[in-house]
Amino acid sequence: ALLGLILIDEKQKQFIKYYLNFLEKYVLSFSTSNTQNNINLEKFKNFPILFSDEQQKIANFLDEKSKIFDEAISKKEQLISKLELAKQSLISEVVTGKLKIVEQNSKLKTIKREENELKPSGVEWLGDIPKDWQVKKLKYLVNNLNNRRIPIESSIRGNMKNSIYDYYGATGIIDKVDNYIFDEPTIVLAEDGANLIFRNIKLVYLADGKYWVNNHAHILSTKDNSSRIYLYHLLEIYDYLPIISGSAQPKLTKESLMNISLPYPSLEEQQKISKYLDEKLIHFDNTIEKTKQSITKLKEAKEALISQVVTGKIEVL
């Protein structure tokens, strides 16, 4: 799936690299697609490239400027990683009861629970939990609606929107459609596919509205929305790797999922946890989103500079 280029003049390598970077969108416009985009080799060999006596000077200039852009982008990506880790850590500490939600001056805050407030959960991954919390298997906390996720023909279902989908479940897509199956709030969780084994891919979603789910996702409903949001955050931080079967096609079976053991506080405690996380996580999400937008702008500025320089719009002195 790769095209290797061996240059007649090795000295042109850096300049050609930047020029191909500039050509990327142009090249893609000539691609053909069946299940994936493909570039015809003969077409590729005939793409025009502007040459000049200043190639080395241009390449050196872009090396220097690209390094500055790349370092700035890298720092922002590291910031996002730290924010994501801090966010997951906060969720984990709160939904497992290590931190207690208290109200002070009409604001919800967290304090660390004392040892005498905790008890062994009997679940290895969970450790100690608050004394007034229970441990329950997921099958006693939710209704599994997988039997309703039948793939209906598009003529009956209505066409899937081809732009931005509201939710994703493994390789399954959930979308709002005319002839919907689900019209209740649920938790949707990936059932199979590579998403299950790559920890940087989101597995769990809150689904609302009128929508359709294909056979690549588990659909879970709760009796109370506070329970749904609490369980959503709990399922976000759960490590599914030990209970995933298969290697070529990883799968989280219904039986394995429904038999996981989870901490379960009172409904009042769940409401506090859900409200607290709603307030705190929005700050993380806003900062992460702004940082992502900043990265996008840096990448666009870098591409614009490369384009202007390799086409001679900006002179390198």
Side-chain angles (χ1 to χ4, degrees), residues 5 12-29 44 47-50 58-59 62-63 65-67 69-70 73 298-311:
L5 304 178
Q12 296 176 337
K13 184 169 67 174
Q14 285 299 92
F15 175 79
I16 296 293
K17 179 190 77 171
Y18 286 118
Y19 202 89
L20 290 176
N21 180 286
F22 153 68
L23 275 181
E24 183 176 352
K25 292 177 183 176
Y26 176 71
V27 171
L28 288 174
S29 70
F44 185 82
F47 285 136
I49 293 183
L50 295 175
I58 289 171
L62 288 176
D63 279 347
K65 297 300 180 184
S66 292
K67 184 179 178 181
F69 278 110
D70 292 343
I73 291 168
L298 283 168
K299 288 180 177 179
E300 288 172 350
K302 177 184 172 183
E303 289 176 8
L305 177 64
I306 291 171
S307 173
Q308 294 287 304
V309 173
V310 298
T311 57

Side-chain angles (χ1 to χ4, degrees), residues 222-248:
T222 59
K223 293 179 181 178
D224 182 272
N225 195 53
S226 293
S227 295
R228 182 178 74 124
I229 295 171
Y230 168 74
L231 284 172
Y232 160 72
H233 288 304
L234 195 53
L235 291 170
E236 267 191 311
I237 57 104
Y238 189 83
D239 182 8
Y240 298 94
L241 285 179
I243 61 172
I244 290 171
S245 59
S247 53

Side-chain angles (χ1 to χ4, degrees), residues 61-106:
F61 172 80
L62 288 176
D63 279 347
E64 181 184 335
K65 297 300 180 184
S66 292
K67 184 179 178 181
I68 295 171
F69 278 110
D70 292 343
E71 286 176 352
I73 291 168
S74 178
K75 286 179 181 177
K76 290 184 180 296
E77 289 173 340
Q78 289 172 23
L79 173 60
I80 290 174
S81 295
K82 289 177 181 177
L83 287 167
E84 292 284 7
L85 284 173
K87 176 183 172 182
Q88 290 303 308
S89 177
L90 176 64
I91 293 172
S92 179
E93 293 286 289
V94 171
V95 298
T96 59
K98 306 299 184 291
L99 294 176
K100 178 165 61 175
I101 311 294
V102 296
E103 189 169 342
Q104 294 180 355
N105 301 322
S106 300

Side-chain angles (χ1 to χ4, degrees), residues 4-274:
L5 304 178
I6 300 174
L7 299 180
I8 295 171
D9 184 353
E10 187 69 14
K11 293 177 183 177
Q12 296 176 337
K13 184 169 67 174
Q14 285 299 92
F15 175 79
I16 296 293
K17 179 190 77 171
Y18 286 118
Y19 202 89
L20 290 176
N21 180 286
F22 153 68
L23 275 181
E24 183 176 352
K25 292 177 183 176
Y26 176 71
V27 171
L28 288 174
S29 70
F30 281 85
S31 67
T32 56
S33 176
N34 186 4
T35 54
Q36 62 181 6
N37 287 336
N38 287 283
I39 302 295
N40 179 283
L41 179 58
E42 290 304 313
K43 287 183 179 178
F44 185 82
K45 286 164 67 175
N46 285 295
F47 285 136
I49 293 183
L50 295 175
F51 284 98
S52 77
D53 296 332
E54 301 177 355
Q55 286 179 28
Q56 193 58 50
K57 188 190 294 185
I58 289 171
N60 291 341
F61 172 80
L62 288 176
D63 279 347
E64 181 184 335
K65 297 300 180 184
S66 292
K67 184 179 178 181
I68 295 171
F69 278 110
D70 292 343
E71 286 176 352
I73 291 168
S74 178
K75 286 179 181 177
K76 290 184 180 296
E77 289 173 340
Q78 289 172 23
L79 173 60
I80 290 174
S81 295
K82 289 177 181 177
L83 287 167
E84 292 284 7
L85 284 173
K87 176 183 172 182
Q88 290 303 308
S89 177
L90 176 64
I91 293 172
S92 179
E93 293 286 289
V94 171
V95 298
T96 59
K98 306 299 184 291
L99 294 176
K100 178 165 61 175
I101 311 294
V102 296
E103 189 169 342
Q104 294 180 355
N105 301 322
S106 300
K107 290 186 178 181
L108 293 177
K109 297 184 178 181
T110 57
I111 57 172
K112 188 174 181 180
R113 276 191 167 88
E114 302 293 334
E115 285 190 18
N116 60 8
E117 297 180 88
L118 301 171
K119 66 179 181 182
S121 67
V123 180
E124 185 177 353
W125 76 271
L126 192 51
D128 293 340
I129 60 172
K131 286 182 176 179
D132 57 339
W133 287 30
Q134 300 178 59
V135 173
K136 292 187 178 184
K137 289 189 175 180
L138 184 62
K139 62 185 175 183
Y140 299 120
L141 306 177
V142 300
N143 292 316
N144 188 295
L145 307 180
N146 287 6
N147 62 312
R148 287 168 54 193
R149 51 170 198 185
I150 50 175
I152 356 179
E153 295 177 7
S154 60
S155 58
I156 301 170
R157 181 189 71 224
N159 291 324
M160 302 291 282
K161 294 182 179 65
N162 229 353
S163 52
I164 299 173
Y165 296 105
D166 296 287
Y167 317 102
Y168 297 80
T171 51
I173 299 169
I174 303 147
D175 195 11
K176 295 178 181 175
V177 290
D178 297 330
N179 295 294
Y180 56 89
I181 296 178
F182 299 97
D183 61 355
E184 66 266 52
T186 62
I187 300 170
V188 178
L189 191 144
E191 180 179 5
D192 55 35
N195 289 36
L196 291 172
I197 57 177
F198 295 118
R199 296 314 304 256
N200 61 331
I201 299 177
K202 190 171 173 64
L203 299 183
V204 189
Y205 294 84
L206 288 171
D208 295 286
K210 299 176 180 180
Y211 53 93
W212 171 86
V213 184
N214 75 7
N215 286 355
H216 297 282
H218 294 288
I219 307 100
L220 311 174
S221 71
T222 59
K223 293 179 181 178
D224 182 272
N225 195 53
S226 293
S227 295
R228 182 178 74 124
I229 295 171
Y230 168 74
L231 284 172
Y232 160 72
H233 288 304
L234 195 53
L235 291 170
E236 267 191 311
I237 57 104
Y238 189 83
D239 182 8
Y240 298 94
L241 285 179
I243 61 172
I244 290 171
S245 59
S247 53
Q249 180 66 2
K251 186 174 183 66
L252 175 60
T253 66
K254 177 181 174 181
E255 182 181 3
S256 297
L257 174 64
M258 299 302 280
N259 279 294
I260 63 176
S261 296
L262 300 170
Y264 199 72
S266 67
L267 182 58
E268 182 183 357
E269 187 78 14
Q270 289 178 40
Q271 290 170 341
K272 275 187 184 179
I273 289 171
S274 299

